[in-house]
Amino acid sequence: MNYLPAALERAGTEESWAVADAISTVLENSEELHSWRRHLLSACIKGLVAMYSSSKDESKQEVERSMLRRLEELLCMVEEVDPDDWCNFVKTGLKYRYRDETFLKVLNVAIQLLYKKESTL
């Protein structure tokens, strides 16, 4: 469990995320759930940044869309993100995916969530 978020940043396969989902289910009524989701959110963002940087030609669109949906879901649950992760995601995403409709939709949702009046970001 301690090493999975780091592995998700690099590999980010559906199988790895299935393990993460199983752990989330086990932690459902635990105090650790929020912290776990924050780690998953960070891993998701870092994984997307790595994908955007390494495949500038949008060749892995379905994997990226899946990760973006997961990012949106985690953002809705956690409603906070590390400022450095957020900055890297926005800069890299806008640099390489400024025409990608799914990226732009998730970015819009994220901005709405993170920049509410009561947000600390």
Side-chain angles (χ1 to χ4, degrees):
M1 186 171 141
N2 294 332
Y3 302 109
L4 186 59
L8 290 171
E9 290 173 25
R10 291 185 307 275
T13 63
E14 283 300 314
E15 293 83 15
S16 300
W17 281 101
V19 172
D21 291 340
I23 293 171
S24 296
T25 302
V26 169
L27 294 175
E28 194 63 44
N29 295 321
S30 169
E31 293 177 13
E32 295 178 56
L33 182 61
H34 186 73
S35 174
W36 173 248
R37 285 181 175 158
R38 286 182 53 211
H39 289 300
L40 292 180
L41 177 61
S42 180
C44 187
I45 290 173
K46 288 175 182 174
L48 280 164
V49 168
M51 273 191 250
Y52 292 162
S53 298
S54 67
S55 66
K56 298 166 180 76
D57 62 353
E58 302 180 37
S59 62
K60 299 179 180 177
Q61 286 186 342
E62 195 51 46
V63 175
E64 289 178 12
R65 285 189 181 113
S66 172
M67 291 289 288
L68 284 167
R69 286 189 297 271
R70 186 171 295 279
L71 173 65
E72 183 177 356
E73 179 183 309
L74 286 166
L75 276 170
C76 289
M77 289 185 249
V78 177
E79 293 189 354
E80 60 183 291
V81 66
D82 179 83
D84 291 333
D85 289 348
W86 175 245
C87 183
N88 288 334
F89 173 72
V90 172
K91 283 188 343 184
T92 308
L94 289 174
K95 183 175 182 179
Y96 298 115
R97 299 298 187 266
Y98 63 92
R99 292 186 204 155
D100 184 340
E101 184 179 346
T102 307
F103 166 76
L104 293 173
K105 285 180 180 179
V106 172
L107 181 63
N108 185 40
V109 168
I111 288 170
Q112 298 302 316
L113 281 170
L114 297 174
Y115 291 95
K116 297 186 284 195
K117 287 184 180 181
E118 59 272 1
S119 175
T120 58
L121 189 67

